[in-house]
Amino acid sequence: MASHNRVQLHLHLDCSLSYNVVSRLAPEITRAQFDTEFVAPPLCSSLADFLTRAPRGFQLMQTEDALRLVTEDLFEQLDADKMLYAEIRFAPLLHLLQGLSAEKVVEAVDHATEACIAATGIEARLILCTLRHYTQEESMHTARLVEQFRGSRVAALDIAGDEAGYPIHAHIPAFHYAIEKGLHRTAHAGEACGADSVWETLRAFEPTRIGHGVRSIDDPKLVEHLRRERIHLELCPTSNVQTRAVNSYAEHPIDKLYRAGVPLSVSTDNYTISNITLEEEYARLRETFHWTDTDLTACNREALRAGFIDDATRTRLLAKLEA
């Protein structure tokens, strides 16, 4: 595969800080601390256990400067990982601990993203996340930010967090607002819970994509629905093994879903907690499922088709991918 021809739709900004940027933001943190506090072990006890690593990142991202540095750091990693296009997600309301407003948080990441696109040539968009444990008001605030920043690099609304621990009800108004306003929507589901959670998410939030959705494989009717309706799955195999959504890489349903014709693509989920690059993820897919360049390019093509971008940008990126 030629250079800079990879696409990643599912990537959490606050879970992707390299040791390089952490040591700039908090020089007292040693490499050994970073490796245990920011990086999760290859097998966690659950998604909730995995998520205990996330605060280490966002606690360091509480000023406009820090947000800029972390965004620049992520683009350096994207460049090294040969990214053509990336969608970067974060929860603005996690970054208010030192007095920033949610608007200022989004503005800082948006401006940094704009500058990084110009500097690297990597195309990118931003997805704002509400979290499962948030109140109805917090979710609605997040959805309104997506609308408020329409026309910037902000492109969509997502819901992330502890799927098994919190129901979806508090978030229905935010997603209904997004539907009314014609905002792009994706949603984490079918990661810590089964196929029923994916059905519930599809009905309540009407997303065009599902974050993970790995447990969809448990329900043949759901697999057929995803294929027929062209609902795109953002799959992150290494992360799914780590959070015990699946038992092992060999048992990950990515290959079965791909062969069944479900639109899907491959992402890392994050660069730090899962300690993985897309390059390494591709190598595991080649080794485990004997995927070829043709399969990986097909996934990247599907990712661009499902990307939260205008048609002119999509056409331009697809041409670069095929080149």
Side-chain angles (χ1 to χ4, degrees), residues 114-175:
E114 194 67 59
C116 289
I117 292 167
T120 62
I122 298 166
E123 193 57 70
R125 295 293 181 273
L126 300 170
I127 299 173
L128 306 187
C129 304
T130 184
L131 298 174
R132 281 276 185 157
H133 65 273
Y134 277 2
T135 63
Q136 185 172 310
E137 293 68 33
E138 288 170 318
S139 254
M140 188 57 96
H141 187 180
T142 307
R144 288 206 174 101
L145 286 167
V146 180
E147 166 66 12
Q148 191 181 328
F149 281 84
R150 198 193 276 265
S152 73
R153 295 293 167 175
V154 174
L157 177 67
D158 177 32
I159 179 165
D162 183 2
E163 181 187 4
Y166 298 87
I168 66 166
H169 313 302
H171 311 291
I172 291 171
F175 275 84

Side-chain angles (χ1 to χ4, degrees), residues 62-73:
Q62 298 296 330
T63 66
E64 286 167 287
D65 256 2
L67 289 162
R68 176 180 57 77
L69 286 170
V70 169
T71 305
E72 289 169 358
D73 175 66

Side-chain angles (χ1 to χ4, degrees), residues 23 28 99 137 159 170 173 181 212 216 218 290:
S23 58
E28 70 282 2
E137 293 68 33
I159 179 165
K181 296 288 182 186
H212 300 294
S216 303
D218 302 345
H290 310 292

Side-chain angles (χ1 to χ4, degrees), residues 11-61:
L11 183 60
H12 290 269
L13 177 65
D14 54 312
C15 302
S16 295
L17 286 72
S18 72
Y19 180 62
N20 184 24
V21 80
V22 167
S23 58
R24 286 182 70 182
L25 294 169
E28 70 282 2
I29 294 173
T30 65
R31 182 75 212 209
Q33 271 179 294
F34 175 80
D35 288 340
T36 54
E37 295 171 19
F38 288 76
V39 178
L43 274 179
C44 297
S45 62
S46 65
L47 175 62
D49 176 37
F50 172 89
L51 291 171
T52 60
R53 302 304 187 295
R56 294 303 282 124
F58 71 70
Q59 283 159 0
L60 296 180
M61 298 165 62

